Structure formats: C-alpha cells, structure tokens
C-alpha cells in the first residue's frame, strides 16, 4: 500500500515491537546478539556495527521518506559523505563540488580526500556550460546542494541529473536544508541523497547524525558494505532520537516555512536590511526552480545588512529569542554570522561569504515573538 508522507514518517520501519507490542521502537543498547547455535542469527543480527534493530528502523524510515530502496544511518552527516565518496570514487577520480558547498563538505574533499588522491573542482551549479567544461573523463560525482548554505542558492536537480548521467557520473544531492518533506531528489533523477540528520530530520538540536539514501539496489549494497567495513555507524540512542524527530517532520516544516516567509517579508521592508536571501521571495533568482522542485521554501533565510559587517555582528549579539549559535533545523530559532562562525574556514577561498551576511534558522516559536526580537535587534 502506498501511503502519504506523514503516514510514512510515523510508521515506516516502526511496526510495534513483535516481542512486547511496544508502540515505540526500543533503543537496542546492545553490542552483540545471542546466536541459536553457531551462525543461527535471530533476524540477521550478529554485531551492532553490522546491524542494530533501532538503526534498522531509522534506515527504513529514511528510505521510505526519500522514496529510495536503501537507507543507511551514520554517526554524522560528514561520516555519511566520507563513506559515500570513498565507496564510489577511487584515488585519481574527480568530483565536481558546488561553488558554495557546505564548508565541511568542501574541507572533507579539498583537504582530507585530496591526500588520498581525489581531485575536485568547485563550480557554480547554475551555470551548466561551466559545469560541462569542468567535467573530466575521471569525474565520478557531481555534488549538489539546494538550497545552499548560507546563500540559499537553488540548483535545478533534474537538469543536473541529465548532465551527470551524460557524463557517466553520479548526481549526489545534499538534501539537508530542504528535508524530504519539501524535496525528494531521487524522484528528480539524483542517484544518492545525503543528509545531516542533525538538522531538520532530528529537529530538536539534541543529536548529531547522517544518512544516505539511494534507489539503486547495486549501489545500495555497496554502500551498506562500506557502512559496515568503514564503521561510521549511528549508535542506537542517536538513531532513536532521529527516528523520534522524523515523526513530526511534516508539521515542523510547515511551521518553519510559514514563520520564515513572514520574517522574509518583514526584513524586506526594513531600512537596515540591504538584501534578503530566501527562495520563497518571487525575485529570488532561484524562485521558479524552487517552486518547481520543492513543495515549500523551508525555514532557512539569510540577509545582508546595509551597515556592513559591524551591523551584522551587532544584530547577532543583540538578538535574544534567536539564540546565537551554529547549526540549524531545530525547533528553536538560531542566528549566526557565517563569515565569523560556520564559514570562517572559507575565508580567502572560493567559498568566502559576504561579511555583512546574517543567517537565520527560523524555529517554530510564535512568529510575533520572533518578529519583535528581530525588530529590537535591528533598531
Ligand atoms: C551540517 C551539515 C552537514 C554536515 O553534517 P554533520 O552532521 O554536522 O556532520 C552537511 N551538509 C549540510 C548542508 C549541513 O548543513
């Protein structure tokens, strides 16, 4: 039976426990499993790096939400990315990265994987001609993020899938910002979806985790092999927290998006604000593509201060309800200065962000309170 997104979020992989009837999947805090005679495994479980029932539940939920066939849960988003890239690439291969990739992804490829012989080129993914020029015979992966962090740029997933496949490369989409509730890249032609489940999937700023989902059975098997062989698995407690968060993803994303839209409108009309970067705004350069491939515009928003870096730092420090902190995607609103915080390591690189930029992760508090806080912070 094919069911709706919210039904899958609550039920996929989460049947009541057969032994007790427990409605909530138990946290299986065990490293090993009793065998009924040598090799007589119950349910296929032998050792918790290889498999753990709480992680299995999360993995089935991730696959169901992204409309894939294999879901895999990792210790962090970067652990998922590392396992993926070292599975589908070999030394000497080449990866195309978005010109404004998540800083951690850029560091992983440009500093950690480069020592292993992986090559990379950052490209503006909105420029398909530049992308075609960057592709080499050794290009194995085109890496896409949409919307991007922290500039909220939008890339056309279906168009990129076509270019990647013509070149014999995989299209990987980091779907962390949108979440599967708003955007399902596998249905648009992507080969693998990556998540930092730390963000919207977990949703409560209480866990670090990552995920991979694919609809390609062969690739799924390879990635599952690597998950066990490389060992960067999600622990059972972390898997449980993400699973708990996923149940309310739909209602949270609706509120995140509604609050962000109101705040975008407010900031647009404020004299201290030079520009508002939110794909829900009709004059955002990626608005039409976002409207086509997303069912909402999400809760992330950035804006530039007319008064420059000093004004941006002041807003961050004056905000009270918006907590000054890195990360995103939790129920509480966060504010940060990417140039000095999340993206400080990009200074002097192609990923450097404007110094007058402030990023908001808009939470699900009452929007009037959020607006009042920004009003006083901007005054
Ligand atoms: C946070 C984040 C990551 C990295 O995930 P971790 O869980 O912090 O390892 C990757 N991509 C994006 C877009 C992120 O926001």
């Amino acid at each position: 039976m094919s069911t709706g997104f919210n039904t899958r979020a609550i039920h996929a992989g989460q049947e009541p426990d057969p032994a007790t009837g427990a409605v909530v999947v138990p946290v299986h805090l065990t490293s090993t499993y009793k065998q009924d005679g040598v090799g007589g495994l119950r349910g296929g479980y032998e050792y918790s790096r290889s498999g753990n029932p709480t992680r299995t539940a999360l993995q089935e939920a991730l696959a169901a939400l992204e409309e894939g066939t294999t879901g895999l849960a990792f210790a962090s988003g970067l652990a998922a990315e590392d396992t993926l890239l070292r599975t589908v690439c070999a030394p000497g291969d080449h990866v195309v990265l978005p010109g404004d990739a998540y800083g951690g992804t850029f560091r992983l490829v440009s500093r950690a994987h480069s020592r292993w012989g992986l090559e990379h080129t950052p490209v503006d993914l909105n420029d398909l001609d530049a992308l075609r020029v960057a592709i080499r015979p050794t290009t194995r992966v085109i890496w896409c993020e949409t919307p991007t962090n922290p500039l909220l740029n939008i890339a056309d997933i279906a168009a990129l899938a076509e270019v990647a496949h013509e070149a014999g490369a995989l299209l990987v989409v980091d779907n962390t910002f949108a979440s599967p509730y708003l955007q399902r890249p596998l249905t648009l032609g992507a080969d693998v979806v990556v998540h930092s489940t730390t963000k919207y999937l977990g949703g409560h700023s209480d866990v670090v985790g990552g995920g991979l989902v694919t609809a390609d059975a062969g690739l799924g098997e390879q990635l599952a092999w690597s998950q066990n062989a490389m060992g960067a698995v999600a622990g059972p407690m972390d898997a449980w927290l993400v699973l708990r968060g996923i149940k309310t993803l739909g209602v949270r994303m609706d509120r995140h998006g509604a609050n962000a839209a109101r705040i975008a409108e407010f900031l647009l009309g404020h004299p201290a604000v030079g520009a508002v970067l939110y794909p829900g705004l009709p004059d955002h350069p990626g608005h039409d593509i976002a409207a086509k491939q997303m069912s909402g515009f999400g809760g992330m928003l950035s804006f530039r201060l007319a008064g420059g870096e000093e004004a941006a730092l002041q807003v961050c420090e004056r905000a009270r309800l918006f907590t000054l902190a890195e990360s995103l995607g939790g129920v509480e609103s966060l504010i940060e200065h990417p140039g000095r915080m999340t993206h400080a390591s990009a200074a002097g690189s192609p990923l450097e962000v404007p110094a007058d930029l402030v990023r908001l992760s808009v939470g699900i508090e009452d929007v009037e309170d959020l607006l009042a806080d920004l009003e006083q912070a901007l005054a």
Side-chain angles (χ1 to χ4, degrees):
M1 184 180 70
S2 108
T3 51
F5 185 91
N6 293 299
T7 305
R8 297 202 297 282
I10 292 167
H11 295 287
Q14 302 169 73
E15 288 298 310
D17 181 46
T20 63
V23 167
V24 175
V25 173
V27 189
H28 289 272
L29 290 170
T30 189
S31 60
T32 191
Y33 305 83
K34 179 187 188 315
Q35 304 196 2
D36 298 319
V38 174
L41 308 182
R42 301 184 192 175
Y45 294 103
E46 57 187 339
Y47 182 63
S48 275
R49 169 164 37 72
S50 315
N52 176 285
T54 313
R55 194 174 88 224
T56 301
L58 170 58
Q59 296 185 151
E60 288 180 7
L62 289 173
L65 294 188
E66 285 289 1
E67 302 188 36
T69 49
T70 304
L72 297 166
F74 293 86
S76 69
L78 283 174
E81 296 184 16
D82 180 39
T83 302
L84 169 62
L85 285 168
R86 288 192 295 123
T87 301
V88 300
C89 299
D93 284 346
H94 175 250
V95 174
V96 174
L97 292 177
D100 56 350
Y102 172 73
T105 302
F106 187 71
R107 181 177 55 200
L108 175 71
V109 174
S110 68
R111 310 247 311 262
H113 290 165
S114 66
R115 297 174 54 200
W116 179 66
L118 190 65
E119 303 190 336
H120 70 280
T121 311
V123 172
D124 173 358
L125 294 182
N126 282 303
D127 185 345
L128 293 184
D129 293 330
L131 172 60
R132 287 196 179 90
V133 168
I135 289 174
R136 307 175 188 174
T138 52
T139 303
R140 284 292 296 143
V141 167
I142 295 175
W143 192 279
C144 166
E145 272 177 52
T146 181
T148 63
N149 178 18
L151 297 174
L152 282 305
N153 286 320
I154 300 294
D156 186 335
I157 296 172
L160 290 173
E162 214 166 285
V163 175
H165 297 156
E166 271 168 26
L170 299 173
L171 179 68
V172 173
V173 177
D174 181 338
N175 202 27
T176 298
F177 263 42
S179 91
Y181 181 66
L182 299 181
Q183 172 172 281
R184 289 186 284 285
L186 299 179
T187 67
L188 300 166
D191 299 286
V192 183
V193 166
V194 172
H195 277 287
S196 169
T197 58
T198 313
K199 316 294 169 53
Y200 287 107
L201 288 167
H204 297 75
S205 305
D206 52 12
V207 62
V208 170
L212 296 176
V213 184
T214 180
D216 176 323
L219 184 55
E221 234 169 82
Q222 283 181 299
L223 293 170
W225 184 89
S226 292
Q227 181 195 39
N228 179 49
M230 298 178 182
V233 295
M237 189 67 216
D238 290 353
W240 188 87
L241 284 166
V242 175
L243 202 52
R244 178 186 172 122
I246 280 177
K247 295 178 200 195
T248 55
L249 180 65
V251 290
R252 284 188 286 108
M253 291 312 294
D254 282 341
R255 177 68 76 87
H256 282 297
N259 283 358
R262 283 281 301 279
I263 288 170
E265 209 176 294
F266 162 78
L267 292 171
L268 263 187
H270 198 286
V273 174
V276 181
L277 313 180
Y278 184 61
L281 295 171
D283 66 348
H284 183 285
H287 176 74
D288 291 346
I289 293 167
K292 187 183 70 178
Q293 70 189 13
M294 303 174 79
S295 59
F297 302 104
M300 296 302 297
L301 174 163
S302 294
F303 61 101
R304 300 181 69 167
L305 276 295
E309 179 171 28
E310 206 43 52
L313 293 170
Q314 271 182 14
V315 172
C316 291
E317 282 166 15
R318 280 199 203 128
R320 287 198 278 267
L321 194 51
F322 277 87
T323 301
L324 179 61
E326 302 197 356
S327 199
L328 61 110
V331 291
E332 62 289 288
S333 292
L334 303 179
I335 190 167
E336 68 123 359
H337 185 265
R340 297 268 186 111
M341 295 170 62
T342 48
H343 292 65
S345 66
S349 84
L351 277 79
E352 183 165 340
V353 295
D356 59 7
L357 191 75
V358 169
R359 189 189 76 180
L360 301 180
S361 173
V362 178
I364 65 170
E365 299 96 335
D366 292 300
V367 73
E368 288 73 19
D369 296 330
L370 297 176
L371 291 169
D373 189 38
L374 290 173
E375 180 94 69
Q376 67 81 25
L378 284 162

